[in-house]
Amino acid sequence: MKEYKYRINGNLYSVKVGDIDNNVAKVEVNGVPYKVELEKTDKPVTIVTKPRPSAAPRTDSGAKVINKPSVSAAGFQVKAPLPGVVMSIPVKVGDVVKASDTVVMLEAMKMENAIHAGHDGKVASIAVSVGDSVLDGGILLTLE
């Protein structure tokens, strides 16, 4: 039981509230037990409809398009730090990039994440396309 102290018109009351079962509460006021029936209120139910997130792209057979990490490639591989969907690729093969340059924009957990090159170099290959789903550790592109 939860105990409360109330002062009403200068008088101190010790009120203990126990379990509530079927809108009947067990209440004790200054040591005297009472069964208090609570008023039933029908609150209107508010249904909130949220827009559905866009579905991951699928192949002709209906399977999800997910790029998985490849086993090996020459040069430095820029990998996805978390699973997500490729939003944009602001570089192309042959571009020279600095370590701090954004090479891929990845949407993950409803947020856009800028993926940086991590090393200076030249873009040798791009392993993903806009709209592709990638897994954590999936190779996005390779630098020479």
Side-chain angles (χ1 to χ4, degrees), residues 58-112:
R58 295 183 181 267
T59 62
D60 293 334
S61 65
K64 289 184 180 179
V65 176
I66 297 179
N67 288 332
K68 296 181 182 174
S70 62
V71 177
S72 66
F76 177 76
Q77 297 173 340
V78 178
K79 298 180 180 181
L82 66 168
V85 177
V86 177
M87 298 300 292
S88 67
I89 306 168
V91 295
K92 59 186 181 298
V93 174
D95 286 355
V96 176
V97 295
K98 300 275 187 205
S100 61
D101 289 348
T102 298
V103 292
V104 175
M105 287 299 289
L106 188 69
E107 179 186 15
M109 298 181 285
K110 297 188 180 187
M111 295 190 61
E112 290 185 9

Side-chain angles (χ1 to χ4, degrees), residues 19-41:
D19 296 332
I20 300 173
D21 188 31
N22 292 329
N23 283 353
V24 176
K26 295 177 183 175
V27 178
E28 192 175 291
V29 179
N30 289 341
V32 180
Y34 295 96
K35 286 190 177 181
V36 177
E37 187 174 343
L38 303 173
E39 181 181 353
K40 286 187 180 182
T41 58

Side-chain angles (χ1 to χ4, degrees), residues 39-50:
E39 181 181 353
K40 286 187 180 182
T41 58
D42 293 330
K43 294 182 181 177
V45 176
T46 304
I47 298 173
V48 178
T49 56
K50 295 181 183 177

